[in-house]
């Protein structure tokens, strides 16, 4: 069966979800990571813009076909 990943906004939501899952006898795992937030949409586009600027300035490297396959696990 596929997993469902849920990101509660605060401690109250986390506790409510945890109580519900326990009542339903659903197995769950609480991630102990301090910061499991994702990047914002603005941060995402800022990184893309920065990468495009670097590429435009010629700040790129070439990777051999074999290294590409290794990095991609092919």
């Amino acid at each position: 069966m596929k997993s469902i990943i849920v990101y509660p906004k605060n401690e109250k939501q986390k506790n409510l979800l945890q109580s519900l899952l326990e009542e339903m006898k659903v197995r769950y795992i609480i991630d102990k990571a301090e910061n499991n937030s994702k990047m914002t949409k603005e941060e995402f586009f800022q990184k893309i813009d920065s990468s495009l600027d670097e590429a435009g300035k010629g700040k790129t490297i070439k990777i051999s076909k074999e290294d590409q396959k290794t990095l991609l696990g092919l």
Side-chain angles (χ1 to χ4, degrees):
M1 176 147 330
K2 291 188 179 183
S3 297
I4 298 172
I5 299 174
V6 179
Y7 297 100
K9 291 181 182 179
N10 53 45
E11 191 71 19
K12 184 178 178 182
Q13 286 184 354
K14 182 191 78 73
N15 291 335
L16 181 61
L17 286 166
Q18 188 173 356
S19 295
L20 177 64
L21 294 170
E22 286 172 0
E23 183 68 28
M24 295 175 62
K25 295 180 174 44
V26 174
R27 187 175 72 96
Y28 64 93
I29 297 171
I30 296 178
D31 185 7
K32 303 285 186 209
E34 287 291 320
N35 183 8
N36 59 2
S37 63
K38 304 231 183 261
M39 157 178 10
T40 66
K41 190 174 183 180
E42 291 79 20
E43 290 171 327
F44 176 74
F45 286 116
Q46 186 178 27
K47 284 187 177 280
I48 291 174
D49 290 340
S50 174
S51 295
L52 290 172
D53 287 343
E54 287 180 5
K57 294 175 184 174
K59 296 181 180 179
T60 60
I61 58 171
K62 294 192 182 222
I63 301 174
S64 70
K65 292 282 185 187
E66 277 135 42
D67 286 343
Q68 289 176 25
K69 288 179 183 178
T70 301
L71 287 170
L72 297 172
L74 302 175

